[in-house]
Amino acid sequence: IIRSIITLKLLMFQRTGAVIAAPTTSLPEIIGKDRNWDYRYCWIRDGSMIIDLFARMGHARTSLRYINFILNRMLVKDYNISVMYGINGEENLEEKILDHLDGYEGSRPVRIGNAAYKQQQNDVYGQLIETIYTSFVVDFRNDLLLNEEIWTMVRSLAKMVEAIWREPDCGIWERRGPMQHFVHSKMMSWVAMDRAAKIAQFIGKTQYIPKYLKVAGEIKEDILKNGWDDELKSFVMYYGGKELDASNLLMLHYGFLDKNDPRMISTVRNTHKELTKDGFVLRYKAADEFGVPRNAFIVCTFWMINALYLTGHEQQAREMLEKIVSCTNRFGLFSEDIETDTGRLTGNFPQGYSHLAFIQTI
């Protein structure tokens, strides 16, 4: 755990507060294939989740530094945010292919930059507001007060969510095909409005609470109606689809549904059945724009361990935990992905997501 915390700290750029996803580019998700991405940037999603963890550990200054980094980006864009930034706040992260390089073990292409910066990813607003909520409400150990600038930031984010939550997006997995109504993105929109209401309650801005809770209720009703598949007895990846998605396991983490809710129990059971391979968990199983996913995502494996534990399958969760922990390298580090048949670590390394989820699970 200490090694993972140090690793996450080393992903933070002290001067600006930015948090990168990983310090490498184009280490392949699948050896010899083309799922090779540049992760040397600050994703709102990844960075906010890491800072949320540090806030819970009492690192108030680290939390405030990151929030100010995002706030400063928003102030120059009339309180709008991008999906991701460079460590100095760069917004143009044009993706380029370096044809003169063969790539890791022949895994081409080698990319620098990341075209995901152009995408619409509606879940990032909820994750950012959740982190602000944790930093200034849950973590009573810090003495920071929610100032008017940050409250304006929260109000602007909530206003954006109210305007766009009904729209499709590219989702947490940054799909490069047609945009969909991803269930996880909708759920994070619910998180945004729910936490905005809680922040308003905390700082005495009670006039905003009814509106925020009303929108949160509308989003939740929409998800329960359109994101649940009666035939599969599970929440699906996107409205109208039949594919399962490991990110829906986070409904438990964010309190969208109770651990005893039959729909949650059924979703965990079916997701485990469909997406677990040799004790590791895939993000999803059907083909995407780059073919059929083959390797498991380490962060999803930890999400599954948490979900199994919370829904009463403690022994199963412990066995899965022991297996994934045995796959770290000799320094206790995780990459992004893992080969299910060999246990070989693949993808960019070390991966912040993986270490974050490991700490949360332990």
Side-chain angles (χ1 to χ4, degrees):
I1 293 173
I2 292 172
R3 170 55 54 198
S4 290
I5 293 171
I6 292 172
T7 300
L8 292 177
K9 187 67 175 176
L10 289 170
L11 297 179
M12 299 176 185
F13 187 41
Q14 197 78 358
R15 190 170 67 80
T16 64
V19 184
I20 60 173
T24 56
T25 182
S26 297
L27 291 180
E29 293 181 19
I30 303 172
I31 304 297
K33 299 295 184 180
D34 58 351
R35 296 177 188 264
N36 316 318
W37 314 111
D38 191 347
Y39 278 6
R40 301 170 299 167
Y41 301 109
C42 180
W43 270 260
I44 295 290
R45 179 190 306 108
D46 302 45
S48 295
M49 293 177 77
I50 291 170
I51 293 300
D52 185 270
L53 173 70
F54 271 73
R56 293 175 188 276
M57 294 190 297
H59 291 245
R61 284 180 294 180
T62 298
S63 176
L64 184 60
R65 189 181 300 115
Y66 172 79
I67 291 171
N68 281 331
F69 170 73
I70 303 300
L71 176 61
N72 289 335
R73 307 285 76 73
M74 293 178 66
L75 287 174
V76 300
K77 291 190 68 177
D78 195 25
Y79 285 95
N80 289 319
I81 61 171
S82 300
V83 169
M84 55 194 284
Y85 299 95
I87 60 172
N88 289 304
E90 301 92 337
E91 294 187 22
N92 186 347
L93 308 175
E94 181 183 356
E95 187 174 301
K96 300 177 182 178
I97 292 176
L98 305 183
D99 285 324
H100 62 287
L101 297 177
D102 290 334
Y104 182 83
E105 294 192 15
S107 305
R108 304 184 70 176
V110 173
R111 294 181 173 93
I112 58 172
N114 198 307
Y117 82 96
K118 298 179 180 178
Q119 289 186 347
Q120 178 68 30
Q121 298 177 17
N122 295 343
D123 65 300
V124 300
Y125 305 98
Q127 187 56 65
L128 183 53
I129 294 179
E130 165 81 351
T131 299
I132 295 171
Y133 169 68
T134 299
S135 299
F136 294 96
V137 181
V138 174
D139 183 14
F140 291 107
R141 289 167 294 181
N142 79 54
D143 58 358
L144 299 171
L145 296 176
L146 193 69
N147 62 39
E148 284 300 319
E149 273 193 337
I150 296 178
W151 170 239
T152 301
M153 180 182 182
V154 172
R155 284 195 297 114
S156 299
L157 292 168
K159 185 177 180 179
M160 179 63 71
V161 171
E162 187 179 1
I164 57 91
W165 75 263
R166 294 181 178 85
E167 299 176 5
D169 73 330
C170 298
I172 184 175
W173 306 128
E174 303 184 336
R175 299 287 286 263
R176 297 195 174 192
M179 292 195 294
Q180 302 284 355
H181 292 276
F182 288 102
V183 171
H184 176 264
S185 295
K186 306 289 187 187
M187 190 271 294
M188 291 307 298
S189 294
W190 171 83
V191 170
M193 304 310 296
D194 179 79
R195 301 316 192 258
K198 286 180 167 62
I199 292 171
Q201 179 69 52
F202 180 73
I203 63 174
K205 305 285 188 178
T206 54
Q207 67 269 31
Y208 292 91
I209 296 174
K211 179 181 180 180
Y212 290 167
L213 291 181
K214 179 178 181 293
V215 177
E218 291 172 354
I219 298 171
K220 189 167 190 174
E221 182 180 354
D222 191 68
I223 295 170
L224 297 179
K225 177 182 178 182
N226 299 302
W228 170 262
D229 188 289
D230 249 339
E231 182 182 349
L232 296 176
K233 299 299 179 187
S234 180
F235 289 100
V236 291
M237 176 178 279
Y238 54 82
Y239 289 3
K242 291 289 185 179
E243 188 176 348
L244 300 189
D245 181 353
S247 67
N248 287 335
L249 298 171
L250 290 175
M251 289 179 172
L252 282 168
H253 176 78
Y254 292 107
F256 180 77
L257 287 179
D258 185 79
K259 64 182 181 179
N260 297 314
D261 190 296
R263 292 164 296 189
M264 200 69 252
I265 293 172
S266 180
T267 295
V268 172
R269 180 177 63 248
N270 291 328
T271 304
H272 181 270
K273 179 181 177 181
E274 290 296 318
L275 299 184
T276 301
K277 186 177 180 183
D278 298 322
F280 306 108
V281 180
L282 282 70
R283 295 176 295 175
Y284 48 85
K285 195 160 68 173
D288 58 20
E289 304 78 45
F290 296 90
V292 177
R294 195 166 73 204
N295 290 352
F297 255 50
I298 291 174
V299 67
C300 296
T301 302
F302 284 121
W303 292 346
M304 179 61 74
I305 292 167
N306 274 316
L308 288 171
Y309 187 86
L310 289 172
T311 53
H313 302 280
E314 295 185 14
Q315 185 56 37
Q316 199 173 9
R318 290 181 184 277
E319 291 171 1
M320 185 175 281
L321 176 62
E322 289 172 4
K323 183 166 186 176
I324 187 65
V325 170
S326 72
C327 294
T328 61
N329 74 357
R330 61 189 176 134
F331 302 110
L333 299 178
F334 291 104
S335 64
E336 180 184 29
D337 309 87
I338 192 165
E339 292 180 351
T340 59
D341 52 346
T342 67
R344 179 183 181 178
L345 299 174
T346 63
N348 284 307
F349 174 90
Q351 178 76 8
Y353 244 170
S354 301
H355 288 276
L356 158 75
F358 167 63
I359 297 168
Q360 289 176 329
T361 302
I362 295 295

